[in-house]
Amino acid sequence: MAVDENYQRKLEEQKRLFKQLGIQFDALTIHEKDFPTKMRGYSQEEVDYFLDDVIQDYERFYKIITDLLDKYNELQRRQTYEKERASLERERAAAEQERAFARARALENGVDRAVVTEAITSLERTIAQMKARLDEQQCGDNNSNY
């Protein structure tokens, strides 16, 4: 009975999918179709064999369609994942670039300040030394005048 239930469930899924796709017949509808017999009609057995082949084709179509839909959904999932990953990678790269720029600015500012501070200190020492020499010279000149 479980096999029949699984097969029935499969046929119901097939019917829903085919309805979504605008396909009029499904395997169960074809299987359940009954044709009245007339005096000069078709051979019932030949019609049944033909319809069995049509049912098998419909089941193959259903399998192909569901496989394609699964592949499509997987591709959509991968594409979404790749977009999110690329976006995160761009954000990470932008943040890393900003950090690099900030480090460069800090280094540039740090080097400039250090160089300027050292230059000022050196100039102040030089000025102090020059003043000291001038004072010495002026004192020496004043002493030689006496």
Side-chain angles (χ1 to χ4, degrees), residues 33-89:
K33 179 66 177 165
D34 230 0
F35 295 95
T37 12
K38 293 197 175 187
M39 191 70 146
R40 292 188 151 201
Y42 296 104
S43 161
Q44 185 72 33
E45 280 184 9
E46 285 183 39
V47 170
D48 285 344
Y49 288 135
F50 178 76
L51 291 178
D52 286 343
D53 290 340
V54 171
I55 289 169
Q56 286 178 355
D57 283 348
Y58 264 75
E59 288 175 347
R60 273 190 227 109
F61 296 154
Y62 173 74
K63 182 169 178 17
I64 290 169
I65 290 169
T66 55
D67 287 347
L68 290 173
L69 285 173
D70 288 345
K71 288 177 184 176
Y72 172 77
N73 289 333
E74 176 63 19
L75 287 174
Q76 291 285 50
R77 187 192 63 75
R78 283 185 187 170
Q79 185 179 28
T80 300
Y81 170 78
E82 288 300 321
K83 283 181 181 177
E84 289 173 357
R85 191 176 66 87
S87 176
L88 289 173
E89 185 63 29

